[in-house]
Amino acid sequence: MSGGVAGPGVVRDTVRIFDTTLRDGEQAPGAGLTATEKLEVARQLARLRVDVIEAGFPAASDGDFAAVRHIAEEIRGGIAIAALARCRDGDPQRAIEAIKVAERPHLHVFIATSDIHLTHKLRIDRQQALAEAVRWVRHGREQLGRDAEIEFSAEDASRTDREFLLQVYEAVVEAGASTVNIPDTVGYSIPSEFGALVRSVVDRVGRDATVSVHCHNDLGLATANTLAAVQAGARQVEVTINGLGEHAGNASLEEVVMALRTRPTQFPELGTAVETEQIMPASRLVSYLTGFAIQPNKAIVGSNAFAHESGIHQDGVIKNPLTYEIMTPQSVGLSGSHLSIGKLSGRRGLQQKLRELGHEMEGAALDAIYREVIALADVKKEVTDGDLLALVEQRVSEVPASVRILGWNVTSSLGGRTTGLVSLDVAGENRTAEATGNGPVDALFSAVDEALQPALGWHPVLTEYEIKAVSAGEDAQGQTLVRCRRSSDEGPGALIVSGHGLSTNIIEASLEGYLVAINKLHGAEINGLAVGFVGGYSSRAP
Ligand SMILES: [Zn+2]
């Protein structure tokens, strides 16, 4: 820029990207992740260069405590690790214990402030809520010291009496909060209104604390509200990959980040540190591990987001991409190439290809993928990008297996019954069972159930089953998604886990997915998985 005037693209201030995929996103029913999966997502968020990773809610379960602790121990490079806690004795202590080993601990305490929440949920009055907020912010500051980030959220802020809300924010900043968060917990605000609310908070405490926003998407306005907040002075945004979250989800990281980047004149002198080329790998990973598919027309990361089908569009884009493209596919990490990888590419070629797709692999992990690619190339004409990503993802979600398949057989014919036979290794013991069903997958799943019931005292109950082709062509690999709960675990709070299978044989892929889910359920019984929230309070917090 010439002329001495700061033009678009000149960054003088940054918007802090606070990713809560692993906390708020994971609250979405059925999105539960194991500790290993959470760590894998955290590593990708680190590659994406978010500023804060909210890793979980340590007071919820021992499993979630351990997951947050692992992430706090491992993630470095200036990225803060946040943990959520209610303003209630026990919660903040647990959160502090989990994050104090982080390079940059970020404690996030919250309490509801709206009359509707105070009266009906917490059954306390405004002054009691204010006192608890101040008490736990002060506790966090004392325990974590001067340099730590202490964030306070007023749950249901957008429906809280304005003057009381400002009073709470003033008091917590006085008590040591360095960030105050304004959640639109029920997704009720509209942009002009939310922007005005944010401005009033910035005016009151913006000099002494960072003002943050946390928007839900119940009216489809989470991204719009978040951007209005930034224009009103918010300098932290709480977002999730793919907009994951309960009900209609949270503001989506990719939408907010790409809007800031694509429209610099609307956000003068503001930037983020995000490596946008890592958006697609992050999106795929989160979708895969949670089993939440992305709608094709989802902004930024949907499979059609950069597709140009109509002739007029195609013609324009070929002549000059700017005619119809406001962002390049490369800027969000779509490689643009669909080159297939042959048998002769070698380990280095494979490593390079994986790097282009956003996966850094070396050593034993690279060797293992390489062997799988070679094996796949034997049964399939070409191994595509989609195949490679599916193989990498399949490894990421590996769980310790106490139940293994030793063998299976199925007979099925037109008009005849389908009979499946399976032989399993259940914690070292050989179990065989036979069952009939509506088709080969059903018969085999029933046989697995019968083999497991006497050994474990429960069998898996299928709640969802999907199969899709990873790539085009008649020799494509089939990828299955299987969701199950335990037969002994019923009701609304039941633990539901997902498992994936991948094979050119769809029966094989189905059984593989079923076994992954079974091993997760079994692991949860033994160790406590890092999933879900404890009951007894608003599930949608903050
Ligand atoms: Zn939320």
Side-chain angles (χ1 to χ4, degrees):
M1 279 289 148
S2 58
V5 179
V10 177
V11 173
R12 299 209 187 276
D13 202 356
T14 58
V15 178
R16 201 156 73 193
I17 303 296
F18 177 113
D19 181 279
T20 184
T21 306
L22 293 175
R23 200 278 298 169
D24 212 339
E26 207 222 4
Q27 275 177 247
L33 300 173
T34 65
T36 318
E37 290 168 337
K38 285 189 103 170
L39 186 58
E40 201 57 45
V41 173
R43 288 176 182 148
Q44 179 57 29
L45 292 171
R47 287 190 280 270
L48 186 62
R49 300 293 317 162
V50 302
D51 300 286
V52 188
I53 296 172
E54 187 164 50
F57 180 42
S61 67
D62 291 344
D64 212 25
F65 175 89
V68 175
R69 176 97 184 186
H70 275 144
I71 291 168
E73 277 164 352
E74 186 185 301
I75 302 294
R76 291 290 178 264
I79 295 168
I81 305 301
L84 184 72
R86 289 167 294 189
C87 287
R88 178 192 287 193
D89 198 13
D91 265 36
Q93 292 94 325
R94 200 80 176 126
I96 290 166
E97 189 60 30
I99 56 169
K100 67 181 186 194
V101 292
E103 183 182 295
R104 299 183 62 186
H106 182 129
L107 178 68
H108 183 191
V109 296
F110 79 96
I111 195 164
T113 49
S114 66
D115 288 336
I116 190 164
H117 277 238
L118 292 178
T119 311
H120 299 286
K121 188 183 73 178
L122 298 177
R123 301 207 168 93
I124 56 175
D125 64 25
R126 287 182 181 180
Q127 291 318 308
Q128 287 170 299
L130 177 72
E132 287 302 301
V134 165
R135 175 182 173 201
W136 292 109
V137 164
R138 190 168 286 143
H139 176 83
R141 180 58 70 207
E142 282 164 10
Q143 295 296 310
L144 287 169
R146 213 163 47 108
D147 297 329
E149 195 66 50
I150 309 291
E151 171 171 345
F152 171 78
S153 279
E155 188 187 4
D156 205 18
S158 52
R159 294 193 300 174
T160 299
D161 174 81
R162 182 72 62 91
E163 199 36 53
F164 175 59
L165 183 67
L166 294 172
Q167 217 185 319
V168 172
Y169 286 141
E170 246 174 3
V172 294
V173 171
E174 179 79 12
S178 43
T179 297
V180 293
N181 183 39
I182 311 169
D184 184 24
T185 306
V186 291
Y188 179 71
S189 276
I190 65 165
S192 54
E193 173 191 38
F194 195 63
L197 169 62
V198 170
R199 197 175 302 279
S200 69
V201 178
V202 170
D203 286 346
R204 193 71 74 96
V205 297
R207 217 183 288 274
D208 303 310
T210 302
V211 174
S212 166
V213 291
H214 178 111
C215 296
H216 278 274
N217 205 31
D218 299 65
L219 291 172
L221 294 171
T223 297
N225 284 335
T226 302
L227 294 174
V230 171
Q231 289 180 320
R235 288 297 175 266
Q236 173 175 290
V237 293
E238 304 197 353
V239 290
T240 62
I241 301 291
N242 301 336
L244 187 70
E246 269 189 287
H247 301 268
N250 288 66
S252 122
L253 179 145
E254 61 276 11
E255 292 173 16
V256 171
V257 166
M258 291 311 289
L260 292 173
R261 180 179 152 140
T262 305
R263 300 303 308 278
T265 55
Q266 293 298 307
F267 305 93
E269 307 183 14
L270 284 177
T272 74
V274 169
E275 296 277 348
T276 59
E277 291 77 10
Q278 293 292 336
I279 284 176
M280 280 310 296
S283 168
R284 283 190 59 112
L285 181 68
V286 168
S287 167
Y288 179 82
L289 290 179
T290 58
F292 278 45
I294 299 163
Q295 76 203 54
N297 55 323
K298 165 79 177 67
I300 318 294
V301 294
S303 55
N304 287 352
F306 289 92
H308 298 283
E309 287 294 333
S310 89
I312 295 171
H313 274 217
Q314 283 183 351
D315 181 54
V317 168
I318 289 164
K319 287 176 180 151
N320 184 343
L322 290 176
T323 51
Y324 288 101
E325 276 185 4
I326 60 167
M327 303 165 268
T328 66
Q330 290 76 17
S331 67
V332 300
L334 279 168
S335 67
S337 77
H338 290 281
L339 301 176
S340 58
I341 184 156
K343 258 188 171 186
L344 300 171
S345 310
R347 273 179 184 70
R348 285 194 88 100
L350 176 65
Q351 190 179 32
Q352 180 56 35
K353 185 76 202 169
L354 287 169
R355 190 171 293 140
E356 281 169 31
L357 295 170
H359 292 276
E360 209 52 64
M361 301 203 89
E362 52 188 20
L366 180 66
D367 288 347
I369 289 282
Y370 185 68
R371 280 194 300 274
E372 286 173 27
V373 170
I374 296 293
L376 187 59
D378 275 336
V379 293
K380 207 169 169 295
K381 284 197 293 286
E382 51 171 21
V383 179
T384 64
D385 287 4
D387 287 322
L388 280 181
L389 288 166
L391 286 174
V392 171
E393 288 161 351
Q394 191 69 20
R395 291 193 62 79
V396 165
S397 63
E398 271 175 8
V399 286
S402 47
V403 182
R404 289 170 213 276
I405 293 258
L406 300 173
W408 59 269
N409 189 291
V410 70
T411 53
S412 194
S413 61
L414 179 66
R417 289 195 321 168
T418 302
T419 308
L421 173 81
V422 293
S423 168
L424 299 179
D425 176 325
V426 185
E429 250 186 276
N430 209 322
R431 305 257 175 184
T432 301
E434 192 179 58
T436 56
N438 296 318
V441 172
D442 187 44
L444 286 169
F445 280 15
S446 297
V448 169
D449 294 353
E450 268 179 44
L452 283 180
Q453 180 70 42
L456 302 177
W458 54 267
H459 63 82
V461 176
L462 196 64
T463 60
E464 201 177 324
Y465 170 77
E466 274 173 32
I467 185 154
K468 66 172 186 187
V470 167
S471 51
E474 71 242 26
D475 58 355
Q477 294 192 94
Q479 188 178 56
T480 55
L481 164 68
V482 174
R483 256 190 234 281
C484 313
R485 64 173 172 82
R486 284 188 299 250
S487 56
S488 54
D489 185 15
E490 284 177 277
L495 172 66
I496 295 175
V497 300
S498 61
H500 286 86
L502 182 68
S503 173
T504 47
N505 177 337
I506 59 166
I507 294 174
E508 195 89 53
S510 302
L511 273 174
E512 192 180 330
Y514 204 42
L515 264 284
V516 170
I518 289 165
N519 280 307
K520 281 190 190 176
L521 288 171
H522 191 42
E525 246 190 346
I526 314 169
N527 310 315
L529 277 182
V531 290
F533 263 170
V534 283
Y537 79 107
S538 161
S539 60
R540 194 149 52 147

